[in-house]
Amino acid sequence: MNLFKKKQYVPITGSREGAPVVPDGLWLKCPSCRKAIYQKELGEFKVCPNCSGYFRLSARERLALVADEGTFEETDSGMASKNPADYPGYEEKLRKTSEAAGSNEAVICGFCEVCGNKTALAVMDSHFIMGSMGSVVGEKLTRLFEKAVEKRSPVIVFSASGGARMQEGIISLMQMAKVSAAVKKHSDAGLFYISALTDPTTGGVSASFAALGDVILAEPGALIGFAGRRVIEQTMKQKLPDGFQTAEFIMDHGFIDKIAERAEMKDTIGALLALHRGSCDGAA
Amino acid sequence: MARRNAFETVKVARRVKRPGALQYFERVFDGFVELRGDRTFADDAAVVGGLAWLGETPVTVIGTQKGTNIDDNIARNFGQPHPEGYRKALRLMRQAEKFRRPVITFVNTAGAFAGIGAEERGQGEAIAKNLYEMSTLETPIVSIVTGEGGSGGALALALADTVWALENSTYSILSPEGFASILWRDASRANEAAELMRLTAEDLLKNGVIDKIIPEAAEGADANFAFTADIIKKELLDVIPKLLAKDKRQLLDARYARFRKYGEFEEQS
Ligand SMILES: [Zn+2]
């Protein structure tokens, strides 16, 4: 569940809940320096030309930066949420979000090659109900890890999530257990898992599969943490230290292996996959 | 069973006098020996554990513990664990696995603590690691929600072969106050939120989150502890030998399947 709204992706015109893909010619406010940036200046990595801060990527944009061109085969693309907890207005929210985001859920899963290495790949999308994990996200990820065991394939997961999906209630909480158990199965089969944390990775996602990679990478400046800043400020009754819950803070405290710039993320993953080729028969 | 509305149940589940893990350790088991510390950083008094006898069987018992007065509550952080609490629990679980002792957990927490130190020491990682390791812990695990089952902080002690809840306990993704403030930006509508959240034992049994409801006397487990404690003892004496009789593969496959089933979705090809 997301309690933070620190960095928001704010189109200057159009709706706040707008799609990540914006029409040409739109100006966007940088989430880091707040300067208005002409969107064509951002380039494929979506880096602010003024402050080098990152704009959030949609799952499709991320996929294009990571998977070798033309190699991605999506799995479970037709899976969609129901309303298991009869949460008022949830179907409507799902419908509107799907239309705006151009995808039917907060994660895209599949198999592809990265720098010529075969791998399973999941990419979350913070534009879809804050990338929250409900039944569909949990099921798609679980199936991906299970299929990866069958194919003896490594798995890469790009997290971008505010946590568990409130609207599906306790069943969302149970997804944390379900996916974590699937990660363990994959690990016990001797297979390699890279968890790549992007802005934001918080709540129930930070407390399940995102924290369980053999190698954990992160993008610079990404918000990573379990509890919401406002909740912590309330309970501690003190201001939070500078840089609290950033990728750099989390690395200083020993919870991630490496911070990789967006432009070097693919090569970093490619190098790690190559180092594990022998352990994953299906990845030759 | 007496009928309460959902928020009344929340209030009963939160009663200060509601028995905590230590009371169960003493009442349901014999010869409790407390074991402390995560061997890494500290001993978190919000999580308690140790060894005891269930009838003739040595078991590992673990649980969250709220305080019974203000000083005790400060010492025990109101039953809200830090990462070292979850790591202590995992240490005791691994020890139980080594000696093939069943693990029994008693969960009553508003949730994992939200604080600077908790974040610095990896609250998310600690919870994740428990889920990960408990999913293949090679010894039976039984979890009982005895009061509040608060989100990931409760789940991190409740990935078990069978999960039970006391009649007036709750288990939810967030507190009703938190839920109301997100849904309606108004925490005072917790009453309504509680109804919507399906967090009572009856609801949890219906949607398969728990496997059994442990009855309480009409006045609640705090007022009549013996009633509930005796039922728990009887149920544990029944289920533990059955779980111990399973071979390792059977036990772990069933545990995986128990959590694998959660989720409701549709698929278009
Ligand atoms: Zn900028």
Side-chain angles (χ1 to χ4, degrees):
Chain A
M1 175 222 44
N2 175 54
L3 293 171
F4 329 73
K5 291 255 159 79
K6 195 177 62 133
K7 287 186 186 172
Q8 242 184 8
Y9 188 76
V10 190
I12 290 177
T13 57
S15 72
R16 272 164 57 97
E17 295 230 328
V21 182
V22 292
D24 274 354
L26 203 69
W27 291 77
L28 300 172
K29 195 185 274 181
C30 170
S32 306
C33 69
R34 317 302 295 174
K35 192 170 183 264
I37 306 294
Y38 189 52
Q39 81 111 19
K40 275 191 170 167
E41 276 187 272
L42 286 176
E44 58 171 342
F45 294 111
K46 289 208 165 179
V47 181
C48 172
N50 184 52
C51 75
S52 306
Y54 290 160
F55 286 65
R56 288 180 183 172
L57 299 179
S58 72
R60 297 282 167 199
E61 288 169 328
R62 173 76 62 186
L63 208 54
L65 295 185
V66 177
D68 294 351
E69 207 180 330
T71 63
F72 186 72
E73 284 179 28
E74 191 171 350
T75 53
D76 299 308
S77 61
M79 198 187 295
S81 291
K82 289 165 76 170
N83 190 1
D86 297 325
Y87 185 94
Y90 184 40
E91 284 108 338
E92 180 67 7
K93 189 174 182 71
L94 285 167
R95 197 180 53 73
K96 282 190 177 156
T97 308
S98 297
E99 281 166 16
S103 69
N104 62 354
E105 255 301 334
V107 71
I108 293 174
C109 294
F111 288 83
C112 67
E113 292 182 22
V114 176
C115 306
N117 303 279
K118 284 186 179 167
T119 185
L121 174 65
V123 182
M124 301 188 81
D125 196 331
S126 63
H127 303 92
F128 196 101
I129 318 186
M130 273 313 295
S132 54
M133 175 164 62
S135 295
V136 172
V137 171
E139 183 68 20
K140 281 171 107 169
L141 287 170
T142 300
R143 286 188 191 178
L144 190 71
F145 277 96
E146 289 175 341
K147 283 175 194 153
V149 173
E150 279 168 37
K151 289 179 181 251
R152 299 212 46 82
S153 167
V155 177
I156 303 159
V157 179
F158 277 86
S159 297
S161 174
R165 187 167 299 169
M166 301 296 281
Q167 291 89 341
E168 294 185 28
I170 190 99
I171 296 302
S172 294
L173 189 71
M174 295 299 131
Q175 304 306 312
M176 291 168 63
K178 180 168 112 179
V179 183
S180 298
V183 173
K184 184 63 158 59
K185 236 185 197 352
H186 183 257
S187 180
D188 286 352
L191 300 169
F192 182 48
Y193 166 34
I194 299 174
S195 171
L197 313 181
T198 72
D199 188 66
T201 298
T202 60
V205 166
S206 80
S208 58
F209 60 88
L212 296 172
D214 294 298
V215 173
I216 304 181
L217 306 173
E219 281 196 339
L223 172 67
I224 301 164
F226 176 66
R229 293 179 66 91
R230 267 184 297 157
V231 176
I232 297 171
E233 274 170 343
Q234 273 168 22
T235 53
M236 304 295 281
K237 296 184 175 58
Q238 69 182 89
K239 272 200 73 72
L240 301 175
D242 281 347
F244 185 66
Q245 291 186 326
T246 58
E248 293 74 12
F249 172 93
I250 300 298
M251 189 161 81
D252 282 348
H253 285 90
F255 290 97
I256 59 177
D257 293 287
K258 182 182 167 69
I259 293 173
E261 295 285 347
R262 193 169 278 175
E264 60 173 33
M265 186 60 92
K266 178 172 179 167
D267 286 346
T268 303
I269 289 172
L272 288 167
L273 289 174
L275 285 161
H276 290 81
R277 231 174 256 166
S279 69
C280 300
D281 314 328
Chain B
M1 289 184 197
R3 298 284 304 185
R4 293 187 166 90
N5 80 26
F7 199 63
E8 281 163 6
T9 303
V10 170
K11 284 191 267 186
V12 176
R14 288 175 180 170
R15 278 182 191 159
V16 177
K17 294 253 180 283
R18 201 151 171 93
L22 287 169
Q23 287 99 307
Y24 287 99
F25 298 169
E26 296 291 351
R27 182 65 177 71
V28 174
F29 307 89
D30 299 308
F32 171 64
V33 180
E34 185 168 6
L35 303 177
R36 297 168 68 146
D38 70 346
R39 298 295 190 271
T40 300
F41 180 74
D43 180 53
D44 185 347
V47 175
V48 290
L51 309 176
W53 294 92
L54 174 69
E56 309 288 306
T57 310
V59 295
T60 290
V61 291
I62 298 166
T64 55
Q65 182 69 41
K66 297 181 183 179
T68 48
N69 56 51
I70 192 68
D71 288 339
D72 194 23
N73 247 328
I74 288 165
R76 298 195 181 280
N77 200 34
F78 296 82
Q80 296 197 271
H82 280 76
E84 45 273 24
Y86 294 109
R87 292 179 184 132
K88 165 163 123 181
L90 185 57
R91 179 178 81 81
L92 296 182
M93 287 190 264
R94 287 211 173 105
Q95 190 188 70
E97 180 182 50
K98 175 179 173 183
F99 297 104
R100 197 118 208 267
R101 280 192 296 264
V103 174
I104 301 151
T105 70
F106 294 83
V107 179
N108 178 20
T109 179
F113 187 62
I116 293 173
E119 295 291 316
E120 286 174 335
R121 297 194 292 281
Q123 190 70 287
E125 192 272 348
I127 293 170
K129 190 54 66 67
N130 277 20
L131 300 176
Y132 181 82
E133 295 294 342
M134 289 174 85
S135 73
T136 57
L137 197 81
E138 292 179 3
T139 196
I141 309 173
V142 177
S143 292
I144 309 168
V145 180
T146 64
E148 288 182 280
S151 200
L155 180 65
L157 298 173
L159 199 163
D161 300 305
T162 183
V163 182
W164 306 341
L166 264 60
E167 187 182 334
N168 293 305
S169 61
T170 61
Y171 194 3
S172 59
I173 192 162
L174 185 67
S175 70
E177 290 82 358
F179 200 84
S181 71
I182 284 175
L183 182 53
W184 303 298
R185 302 190 184 284
D186 183 0
S188 69
R189 290 169 73 182
N191 199 327
E192 260 170 274
E195 284 302 331
L196 195 62
M197 290 174 75
R198 301 182 181 170
L199 43 60
T200 65
E202 212 175 313
D203 289 329
L204 297 164
L205 186 67
K206 230 178 274 170
N207 62 21
V209 171
I210 62 166
D211 306 293
K212 189 187 286 292
I213 297 176
I214 303 293
E216 296 179 42
E219 60 273 35
D222 46 317
N224 189 345
F225 183 40
F227 179 86
T228 293
D230 288 347
I231 293 170
I232 289 175
K233 182 165 188 169
K234 184 174 89 39
E235 295 287 356
L236 286 174
L237 285 168
D238 178 58
V239 78
I240 291 291
K242 289 178 189 160
L243 291 173
L244 280 171
K246 293 193 182 192
D247 74 53
K248 215 174 67 184
R249 200 62 266 160
Q250 252 185 324
L251 183 75
L252 297 189
D253 286 351
R255 191 182 303 156
Y256 189 82
R258 192 194 178 285
F259 287 88
R260 181 69 185 82
K261 68 177 191 258
Y262 294 118
E264 223 179 278
F265 45 85
E266 56 193 15
E267 292 185 83
Q268 297 116 12
S269 48

